[in-house]
Amino acid sequence: MKKIAIIGGGACGSAALIELIIQSITAKLQDQISFVLIERKEKAGYGLAFGSKQRSHILNTQADLMGIYANEPAHFAEWLKENGRKYRDDVKSESDEDNAYTSRLLYGHYVSQQLKETIEKAKKHNIKVERIKDEAYNIDKLENEKLLIHLSSENTVEVDEVLLAPGTPKPNIFSHFKDNPNYIDFPWPTKRLLKNTNKNDHVGVLGSSLSAIDTVMTLIDNGHEGKITMFSPDGMLPRVQPDENKGFERKYLTLANLHKIKREKGHAPRAKDLFRLFIKDIEAAEGKSLDWSSFNRDSKDQLPLLEHDIKIAEKGGDSLSNMAYSMRYDTSTIWSWMSLHEQIIFTKWMGRHWTITRHAIPLYNARRLSKLMKESKLEIISQNQKVEFIKDKNCFSIATGLDGVFEIDKLVNATGSAGRLEEMDNVLVQNLLKKKYLKPHPIGGAVINPHTMQCISEAGGEHIYGVGHLVNGMLMDVNAVWFNVKTIARLASEIIFKTTSNGHI
């Protein structure tokens, strides 16, 4: 009997257990396989990402891409139609259910329900699923190739395969402020943020991306009256996501053309190839040449840009946003074709601009941000350079390149999920890193076999797998549910294949 452990019961861990159960039932493996889900919280299916009770914390992807089943992306939209439709107060949409943006918590309810129903199916098919409410902090590889998981309760679990699904990794930067009561090291869970800020505080938010925007929404939803200032190196807000994108037909930046480069020129696609073909597609759609330097939003006044983006989104998006959206299913393949050198170049020179376009603000929240900025309740400052705590004044000082020095009452680290393994504030990840069971990828996350999701390292063996943000360097779009469930389906197929005798059922 092979025993599979899933460590982490958020969306990725839940999706993995769901897919493994489905494939086990299909393969009739009730006498050959069992599962254990290790999650420290009482309820599985939520995690930090989808456990927020703030109604303005909404998904950044519309419902018809959020199905928890790898080959049924529209399943969540179908579930939504059966559970209140778009008229619920936790659904933000001016379109139909397929294009709705729901609260993160509603999505968490959906995932939790699907997990519960799938576990019930497993029981009916005599497949054992154990649920352990605990935290895994270390793993030992035994001589018989089995893995021993150490839990905070001092119990251990011996298994054959381990799937690491730690969810959203909190960053460990600014650790010297950790014990400062004026510092909030992560926006989630939101009760910590609300408990440690007063309504009239001037709150500084490190970051200007989607995590920082969620932080602002949390404060405002709970009656914050003081000023909020967002600080980031470039000061760029994400662009605005239409409720429904217009179609965009790419003629140049296609998988076929990129493969042609490999075939004819004998090298992988380069960052400059991608940018050149991207420009050709946009200019072909616009019917004219464009001044591409004007698209650089680094350190510019964000309010007029935000208002412009809102108007564009209300009309279904422009060529830039619609083309980026059209590439959602191809980006991971393109990324896998690029060399590490070219991936680093892309990340350094174009990564930020790609991110603000592809991972955009839902229209509903964009309008709220615009209102706050017009009322001077929210300010966005670029080129933050130095953060210090002034003990005599009991406040933080943030020095910036353009606007001088700011003094703020409370500081929130909303720079987003940690990218590099060594920056992840996760005891299990750090212990596996020390033992070389995980190998850091130069861009971020762990080195894996992208076809099977197996972690590749000097000492880790062949039985540890990783999904989600844990593998953010080797894979693109790991913050997207639809992408993660596809990688999870591959992982599940690999484990099921290894479970059957000689690979045959």
Side-chain angles (χ1 to χ4, degrees):
M1 175 74 74
K2 180 169 282 191
K3 191 171 188 176
I4 316 298
I6 297 97
I7 299 178
C12 279
S14 298
L17 181 53
I18 287 170
E19 183 65 25
L20 282 162
I21 289 172
I22 291 171
Q23 292 198 28
S24 297
I25 291 172
T26 304
K28 297 179 171 41
L29 297 180
Q30 62 271 17
D31 297 325
Q32 299 181 52
I33 200 165
S34 68
F35 303 99
V36 54
L37 175 64
I38 302 171
E39 164 60 39
R40 60 188 175 85
K41 293 184 178 179
E42 190 69 40
K43 294 182 179 180
Y46 296 89
L48 284 176
F50 306 115
S52 172
K53 295 181 180 179
Q54 301 298 318
R55 292 301 177 96
S56 60
H57 285 185
I58 58 179
L59 300 177
N60 301 307
T61 303
Q62 57 263 56
D64 66 349
L65 288 176
M66 293 295 291
I68 202 65
Y69 304 104
N71 296 297
E72 297 180 59
H75 186 269
F76 177 53
E78 295 166 3
W79 179 89
L80 183 59
K81 291 173 185 177
E82 297 173 358
N83 290 272
R85 306 183 71 85
K86 66 178 182 180
Y87 307 107
R88 301 172 59 115
D89 63 359
D90 47 8
V91 176
K92 311 300 179 186
S93 177
E94 295 177 6
S95 186
D96 56 21
E97 288 81 1
D98 291 343
N99 298 292
Y101 291 81
T102 77
S103 73
R104 291 177 176 271
L105 185 60
L106 177 59
Y107 186 74
H109 292 335
Y110 158 76
V111 175
S112 183
Q113 179 184 321
Q114 300 308 304
L115 176 63
K116 182 179 179 181
E117 291 177 359
T118 306
I119 290 175
E120 288 299 319
K121 289 179 183 176
K123 291 179 181 177
K124 291 179 181 178
H125 287 82
N126 297 316
I127 294 176
K128 184 181 179 181
V129 180
E130 183 182 2
R131 169 78 162 86
I132 297 178
K133 182 178 176 296
D134 210 330
E135 184 171 11
Y137 71 88
N138 209 346
I139 297 174
D140 285 325
K141 190 174 71 172
L142 306 178
E143 291 183 1
N144 60 2
E145 288 296 313
K146 288 183 181 289
L147 298 165
L148 189 67
I149 303 171
H150 296 268
L151 305 175
S152 295
S153 61
E154 299 186 359
N155 292 322
T156 58
V157 183
E158 186 175 308
V159 299
D160 297 276
E161 314 279 350
V162 169
L163 167 59
L164 304 174
T168 307
K170 181 168 71 172
N172 60 18
I173 57 175
F174 298 108
S175 57
H176 52 293
F177 295 143
K178 185 176 181 181
D179 297 325
N180 190 316
N182 292 5
Y183 175 67
I184 298 95
D185 64 353
F186 208 46
W188 299 285
T190 55
K191 62 183 180 182
R192 295 173 60 250
L193 172 64
L194 299 174
K195 180 181 177 181
N196 290 285
T197 54
N198 298 315
K199 292 190 182 299
N200 293 314
D201 282 340
H202 181 182
V203 177
V205 179
L206 295 176
S208 58
S209 62
L210 297 175
S211 294
I213 292 167
D214 278 346
T215 303
V216 173
M217 295 296 105
T218 299
L219 292 168
I220 296 302
D221 284 348
N222 288 275
H224 189 79
E225 297 175 359
K227 188 167 184 178
I228 303 171
T229 305
M230 301 166 78
F231 299 91
S232 74
D234 54 37
M236 293 195 298
L237 283 173
R239 296 197 68 199
V240 181
Q241 179 71 36
D243 277 346
E244 187 172 357
N245 284 82
K246 291 181 180 178
F248 190 99
E249 183 181 356
R250 284 177 284 126
K251 299 177 182 178
Y252 301 102
L253 186 48
T254 64
L255 293 181
N257 285 338
L258 293 175
H259 189 272
K260 188 176 180 181
I261 290 174
K262 293 168 65 177
R263 177 171 57 83
E264 293 185 348
K265 297 186 178 182
H267 64 73
R270 298 168 179 168
K272 64 181 181 181
D273 296 325
L274 302 182
F275 192 43
R276 175 177 56 83
L277 295 173
F278 188 90
I279 288 173
K280 288 185 72 173
D281 264 321
I282 296 293
E283 292 187 343
E286 294 290 323
K288 60 182 179 181
S289 297
L290 301 173
D291 176 14
W292 284 89
S293 63
S294 67
F295 288 90
N296 185 0
R297 299 182 171 207
D298 196 327
S299 301
K300 292 183 178 179
D301 184 357
Q302 296 299 298
L303 179 55
L305 294 171
L306 179 62
E307 290 184 307
H308 169 77
D309 287 348
I310 289 171
K311 291 178 181 178
I312 293 296
E314 289 171 341
K315 298 176 182 178
D318 58 7
S319 297
L320 200 64
S321 61
N322 287 325
M323 180 175 176
Y325 184 77
S326 77
M327 294 181 65
R328 62 193 181 280
Y329 294 127
D330 291 345
T331 51
S332 58
T333 300
I334 295 170
W335 185 254
S336 70
W337 286 356
M338 297 169 70
S339 68
L340 175 60
H341 176 70
E342 291 298 324
Q343 289 176 342
I344 292 172
I345 290 175
F346 179 89
T347 301
K348 183 176 181 180
W349 297 111
M350 288 178 277
R352 296 173 303 135
H353 304 285
W354 169 256
T355 298
I356 66 166
T357 302
R358 180 63 192 95
H359 303 292
I361 313 168
L363 187 53
Y364 175 80
N365 276 349
R367 290 173 177 146
R368 298 186 71 198
L369 285 178
S370 175
K371 184 175 184 292
L372 291 170
M373 293 170 74
K374 288 176 183 176
E375 294 172 348
S376 299
K377 294 180 179 179
L378 173 66
E379 187 176 15
I380 301 170
I381 303 297
S382 63
Q383 299 186 22
N384 59 309
Q385 297 175 346
K386 189 175 183 181
V387 181
E388 294 180 305
F389 183 72
I390 306 175
K391 191 174 182 180
D392 293 343
K393 294 185 178 181
N394 195 36
C395 72
F396 284 93
S397 168
I398 300 180
T400 69
L402 291 176
D403 299 279
V405 178
F406 291 77
E407 291 185 355
I408 58 173
D409 300 311
K410 302 292 170 63
L411 181 66
V412 184
N413 184 359
T415 52
S417 304
R420 297 181 180 276
L421 291 182
E422 58 270 22
E423 296 173 350
M424 295 182 182
D425 188 6
N426 182 294
V427 64
L428 176 60
V429 170
Q430 294 309 315
N431 282 333
L432 297 183
L433 187 58
K434 289 175 186 175
K435 296 167 99 167
K436 297 185 178 180
Y437 284 12
L438 294 178
K439 181 179 180 180
H441 187 271
I443 294 177
V447 174
I448 59 162
N449 178 337
H451 304 292
T452 64
M453 308 302 289
Q454 178 195 320
C455 295
I456 307 297
S457 68
E458 296 175 21
E462 301 180 354
H463 304 286
I464 300 176
Y465 300 80
V467 294
H469 206 83
L470 188 67
V471 297
N472 69 82
M474 290 200 66
L475 300 181
M476 199 75 135
D477 287 327
V478 294
N479 56 348
V481 169
W482 67 264
F483 177 76
N484 286 329
V485 295
K486 286 186 177 295
T487 63
I488 284 166
R490 297 202 300 268
L491 178 156
S493 295
E494 170 70 7
I495 290 177
I496 297 301
F497 180 81
K498 287 168 67 175
T499 303
T500 58
S501 178
N502 298 319
H504 298 288
I505 298 175

